[in-house]
Amino acid sequence: MSQETLTSPVSMPPFSFNQPQTFELFAEGRSWEPGWLADYRKECWEQFSALPDRILKDERWRFSPRARFGLTKIDGLANAKESLLIESASTVDGISFDLLDRLILDQAHSLSLLPKISGPNLGADDYSLLTGAFAENGFILRAQASTRSDEPLIIEHREPEAGKIAFHHNLIELEAHAEVTLIEKLTAHPDNPGGHISNLLKVRLGEGARLNRVVLQECSQSSSLVQMENFIVGKNANLNTVTLHLGSGQSRIESKGVLQGDGANFDYGSVYLGKNDQLFDQRTIQVHEAPHCTSNLLCKNVLCNQSRSIFSGLIKVEEEAQHTDAYQTNRNLLLGSEGKADSLPGLEILANEVKCSHGATTSRIDPQDLFYLQSRGITSEKSEKLIALGFLNEPLMGINDKNTREWALQCLESSFAS
Amino acid sequence: MNSLKIDNLQASIGDKSILHGLSLEIPKGEVHAIMGPNGSGKSTLAKVLSGHPDYEVTGGTATLDDDSLLGLEPDEISRLGLFLAFQYPMEVPGVSIANFIRAALNARLKEGEKIKAVEYYKDLYAHMDDLGMDRKFTSRSLNDGFSGGEKKRCEILQMSMLNPKYAILDETDSGLDIDALRVVSDGVNRMRNPERGILVITHYQRLLDYIVPDYVHVMSEGKIVRTGGKELALELEDRGYDWIKQEAVAS
Ligand SMILES: Nc1ncnc2c1ncn2[C@@H]1O[C@H](COP(=O)(O)OP(=O)(O)O)[C@@H](O)[C@H]1O
Ligand SMILES: [Mg+2]
């Protein structure tokens, strides 16, 4: 460090979530917000401050090099206006697709549901609470009963500049028999990568509603992502979500699907292509609260170089949830010898009329398969990519919309090529 | 030199020696058949020529026209112009037939060349029609859940799309009913021409009624023990393999 910086005239303390002033200053700056929102922020902050120091033996962080999600690397809040962008808006009456920062100004009353749905609470409590306290933006998607949007709505979460964190508090609420397709893109900072995104999403589907959601994550290799999702699926509603993770230095994904109404259906697919020393830490839970529900989870990871994945999933079937069909599958393919995959599948079944299965495998490319492809003139490197691409194909086939599916496949393919 | 030429080839897997000095020459324009009992090393020969990494070549030579094949990677051998139709094709989930064949054709392009999608599909469909394959197969995963006959048709489809200089067909007839056998054989016969050499490996004489060879070789214990015309296949059918084995031992 040079002499000049040491004798810098201004003595601002560095940004830190460890000191109360960080929140006080933030809250002062937003004193114009309605009281309930200020209270909510304060409550989140207080709960965050009261969290015990990170305990080493937290089962919810088993296998995770948790330090990689440390808060000390963060040196400020991102500009909330720049970190979220609606790329394709709603054109349908009764379907609104808006940004939180605008709604707080115009229609704050419409946001009162936000605090009422609790987060997935699968381990990243600190991020979840900080998002409640500091989120200045997020997307809010609402569809009135029986509305339907044929064109996908598209939102872009933008990685902020290095060191900054964007907190997005997002909400999707579909009333009875509404149907919406949503694409979320997470994109890299174009010239100063290394930002953090903390995304908290709460979803509630009314009776017979249908949400098709596709997430494409292409953040920079030096960025961090914490994605927390809570899906509450009502009677005979259908939730289909497929995520493609191609970027981010470390990502922690927490997804909870709650089958709350009779006959609800939850389809969850994820694809992860790990490169370099990327870390993908995924925790899921399928909670069957009502009878006659189906949930199907398929997570496939390919690990190149020294990349790592952790999958921990639980199927929980409550006593009332008779006639449950629940499946959970995690498959990992290691390319090369340095990657690593940990898998912790789990079942907790209290009902007796259920069909449940879970499975986890980690494998390498079969040399006989490789020989077969090579024997057609394809180099071993290209053959491996082709096999790995084929391996990851399956969850993407769960994307209902054909154009979106092909787009996702293309994104995956070009990520392999680079 | 316009031939696939194998001279005194010896190969082993682990410490088990399988090919014991095998010699064979397949000039362009000819169809040769190798027959032999199970375990005599027919598939081993095909895989060794194709560069399978499990096998170690301990002696002899193998050349395709002027290029030595031994020590090359399987993909290099393929691009030199050798095609192997597998006895047991692998199942590769998620890799569609269309993408797979396109990748194989791409691997043969020169710098700057590109495959035109429209022409590619036209060509692919024409070959599929010839083999009586449903066009829907293009988007199906390679061999994944295919019946035996479908797998073999898919091998012949790949062969006809890749247009090799030499082709080795390893027990392409096994597991086929008579109709499938006819379709597959027709596919192979369409590929017979003065510019291509074909080696048909089979356990049964039946296939050679459909693909009539110029020469028949009998293989036993890692060697060619007898060579003759197509009538040799009929003789084998009549007398079994034992008399050849005995003669081989006697000589
Ligand atoms: N991967 C292998 N490991 C050990 N032995 C093998 C292997 N592959 C083939 N062999 C042996 O080599 C011999 C020849 O096999 P193969 O070439 O498959 O014969 P064919 O095709 O004529 O039936 C057999 O004795 C077989 O058991
Ligand atoms: Mg064989």
Side-chain angles (χ1 to χ4, degrees):
Chain A
M1 202 182 269
S2 74
Q3 281 297 322
E4 269 171 283
T5 47
L6 275 175
T7 56
S8 166
V10 201
S11 68
M12 275 278 282
F15 180 92
S16 163
F17 290 115
N18 278 332
Q19 50 202 10
Q21 301 95 295
T22 304
F23 180 71
E24 285 159 17
L25 271 169
F26 173 81
E28 256 169 54
R30 302 188 69 88
S31 55
W32 48 270
E33 285 183 345
W36 67 264
L37 185 53
D39 290 347
Y40 172 59
R41 291 191 190 281
K42 188 147 185 281
E43 200 187 309
C44 288
W45 171 256
E46 279 166 3
Q47 283 183 33
F48 166 75
S49 305
L51 283 180
D53 284 343
R54 292 184 169 207
I55 31 176
L56 287 173
K57 276 195 102 173
D58 187 340
E59 267 304 299
R60 302 174 306 170
W61 287 88
R62 190 145 172 232
F63 293 120
S64 183
R66 195 179 174 183
R68 288 180 62 169
F69 299 96
L71 295 164
T72 52
K73 294 168 191 143
I74 297 162
D75 61 23
L77 301 179
N79 181 334
K81 295 221 179 315
E82 286 174 4
S83 64
L84 200 62
L85 191 92
I86 290 180
E87 201 179 295
S88 182
S90 167
T91 53
V92 177
D93 274 348
I95 297 181
S96 63
F97 188 37
D98 250 312
L99 294 182
L100 182 68
D101 71 337
R102 213 188 61 71
L103 290 176
I104 293 177
L105 284 174
D106 301 355
Q107 307 170 38
H109 58 277
S110 71
L111 298 170
S112 52
L113 183 67
L114 215 50
K116 288 181 191 140
I117 307 178
S118 68
N121 300 332
L122 296 178
D125 308 347
D126 42 3
Y127 277 89
S128 169
L129 291 166
L130 286 173
T131 307
F134 289 98
E136 294 167 275
N137 218 342
F139 70 82
I140 309 289
L141 165 59
R142 279 217 173 88
Q144 288 172 15
S146 301
T147 52
R148 181 194 164 102
S149 158
D150 290 321
E151 286 301 307
L153 306 173
I154 307 176
I155 186 99
E156 183 184 349
H157 303 263
R158 295 173 155 182
E159 174 189 337
E161 63 187 76
K164 300 285 184 280
I165 185 161
F167 289 109
H168 295 166
H169 209 325
N170 313 294
L171 178 72
I172 301 173
E173 196 187 10
L174 307 188
E175 290 177 10
H177 306 290
E179 179 170 344
V180 175
T181 297
L182 171 70
I183 297 174
E184 290 186 58
K185 296 179 187 170
L186 284 77
T187 57
H189 195 283
D191 41 56
N192 187 9
H196 307 250
I197 295 180
S198 174
N199 249 334
L200 179 58
L201 170 66
K202 297 168 181 183
V203 179
R204 185 186 275 178
L205 300 193
E207 180 172 349
R210 177 173 201 106
L211 175 67
N212 301 305
R213 172 176 177 253
V214 177
V215 181
L216 172 64
Q217 189 268 103
E218 290 181 306
C219 294
S220 76
Q221 289 283 324
S222 48
S223 71
S224 290
L225 168 70
V226 177
Q227 172 92 30
M228 297 154 283
E229 309 166 331
N230 191 9
F231 305 99
I232 298 170
V233 194
K235 186 174 174 185
N236 293 329
N238 270 294
L239 201 144
N240 178 297
T241 178
V242 178
T243 303
L244 178 52
H245 286 279
L246 301 175
S248 196
Q250 46 270 316
S251 24
R252 166 92 179 183
I253 312 299
E254 300 187 351
S255 306
K256 180 179 187 179
V258 184
L259 295 124
Q260 207 173 57
D262 209 312
N265 179 48
F266 177 61
D267 285 317
Y268 180 102
S270 81
V271 163
Y272 169 63
L273 172 60
K275 294 180 186 167
N276 308 318
D277 65 343
Q278 280 180 305
L279 165 69
F280 184 68
D281 179 358
Q282 180 177 39
R283 316 277 156 158
T284 68
I285 181 165
Q286 296 147 263
V287 187
H288 283 255
E289 293 183 350
H292 307 289
C293 295
T294 317
S295 70
N296 209 329
L297 177 136
L298 176 63
C299 301
K300 284 194 150 186
N301 306 325
V302 165
L303 301 146
C304 312
N305 315 110
Q306 300 94 41
S307 63
R308 254 195 97 168
S309 72
I310 300 154
F311 170 85
S312 169
L314 181 67
I315 295 178
K316 192 172 178 192
V317 182
E318 306 285 7
E319 218 175 313
E320 309 76 56
Q322 299 295 358
H323 307 286
T324 285
D325 269 4
Y327 306 96
Q328 179 207 79
T329 309
N330 167 233
R331 304 220 181 282
N332 306 299
L333 179 68
L334 304 177
L335 289 193
S337 56
E338 295 165 289
K340 187 169 188 294
D342 289 301
S343 200
L344 286 162
L347 293 177
E348 196 181 309
I349 300 174
L350 300 175
N352 41 29
E353 290 274 330
V354 296
K355 263 195 269 171
C356 275
S357 79
H358 66 170
T361 55
T362 298
S363 59
R364 293 175 189 284
I365 288 181
D366 181 344
Q368 306 304 331
D369 289 353
L370 194 61
F371 172 65
Y372 184 53
L373 267 66
Q374 271 189 279
S375 78
R376 301 310 185 230
I378 307 168
T379 61
S380 64
E381 198 191 348
K382 285 233 169 78
S383 299
E384 286 193 352
K385 282 183 177 175
L386 213 54
I387 293 170
L389 197 61
F391 174 82
L392 293 178
N393 187 60
E394 194 182 355
L396 299 181
M397 297 317 280
I399 299 175
N400 290 321
D401 179 59
K402 182 165 174 275
N403 291 335
T404 310
R405 186 170 61 237
E406 275 166 14
W407 167 73
L409 280 167
Q410 256 164 31
C411 293
L412 178 63
E413 230 176 288
S414 30
S415 177
F416 259 110
S418 65
Chain B
M1 286 275 281
N2 273 316
S3 68
L4 178 64
K5 190 166 191 291
I6 302 147
D7 194 27
N8 194 29
L9 188 64
Q10 296 148 52
S12 56
I13 186 160
D15 43 20
K16 182 175 176 168
S17 158
I18 302 172
L19 301 182
H20 309 108
L22 185 145
S23 300
L24 183 66
E25 182 169 7
I26 301 149
K28 278 186 179 155
E30 294 182 4
V31 173
H32 290 229
I34 290 187
M35 299 183 70
N38 274 332
S40 57
K42 304 182 297 296
S43 291
T44 299
L45 172 66
K47 287 191 233 171
V48 167
L49 292 175
S50 305
H52 196 294
D54 286 356
Y55 299 88
E56 191 192 348
V57 175
T58 51
T61 59
T63 52
L64 186 154
D65 296 345
D66 293 317
D67 295 298
S68 170
L69 298 179
L70 303 181
L72 298 185
E73 287 287 311
D75 54 294
E76 294 173 306
I77 294 170
S78 167
R79 295 195 301 270
L80 281 176
L82 183 67
F83 182 91
L84 169 61
F86 281 53
Q87 180 173 2
Y88 303 110
M90 309 310 295
E91 302 192 1
V92 193
V95 177
S96 73
I97 292 182
N99 279 351
F100 176 53
I101 296 179
R102 196 190 341 218
L105 287 170
N106 261 322
R108 289 163 167 77
L109 295 181
K110 295 187 192 73
E111 194 66 31
E113 284 180 340
K114 268 194 121 161
I115 292 173
K116 294 200 182 77
V118 178
E119 284 169 31
Y120 168 67
Y121 274 98
K122 206 174 133 195
D123 202 26
L124 185 61
Y125 287 147
H127 283 101
M128 291 176 81
D129 293 349
D130 285 342
L131 289 165
M133 289 174 80
D134 191 324
R135 289 180 178 193
K136 285 200 195 89
F137 265 74
T138 50
S139 58
R140 280 190 53 182
S141 290
L142 186 58
N143 298 322
D144 191 15
F146 285 21
S147 71
E150 287 167 343
K151 283 182 184 165
K152 297 301 167 83
R153 281 179 213 227
C154 184
E155 293 292 288
I156 303 303
L157 174 68
Q158 293 167 43
M159 173 170 83
S160 58
M161 287 296 288
L162 296 179
N163 240 324
K165 291 181 186 148
Y166 299 93
I168 303 174
L169 304 154
D170 191 0
E171 306 232 8
T172 296
D173 51 333
S174 65
L176 295 188
D177 62 29
I178 205 77
D179 292 328
L181 185 63
R182 189 171 289 125
V183 172
V184 164
S185 304
D186 286 350
V188 176
N189 285 330
R190 274 194 299 275
M191 301 224 30
R192 281 179 97 145
N193 74 37
E195 296 304 312
R196 181 174 294 123
I198 296 176
L199 176 62
V200 180
I201 295 173
T202 183
H203 187 72
Y204 301 103
Q205 188 274 335
R206 187 181 70 157
L207 175 68
L208 304 182
D209 288 339
Y210 296 90
I211 305 170
V212 180
D214 299 301
Y215 296 93
V216 173
H217 310 274
V218 181
M219 186 165 173
S220 172
E221 293 179 16
K223 271 183 161 163
I224 301 296
V225 292
R226 200 178 178 107
T227 293
K230 54 179 182 273
E231 63 291 342
L232 178 56
L234 294 169
E235 202 175 346
L236 280 171
E237 175 96 329
D238 270 0
R239 301 175 63 183
Y241 285 111
D242 281 349
W243 63 282
I244 297 241
K245 275 195 201 164
Q246 279 152 17
E247 273 186 25
V249 171
S251 69

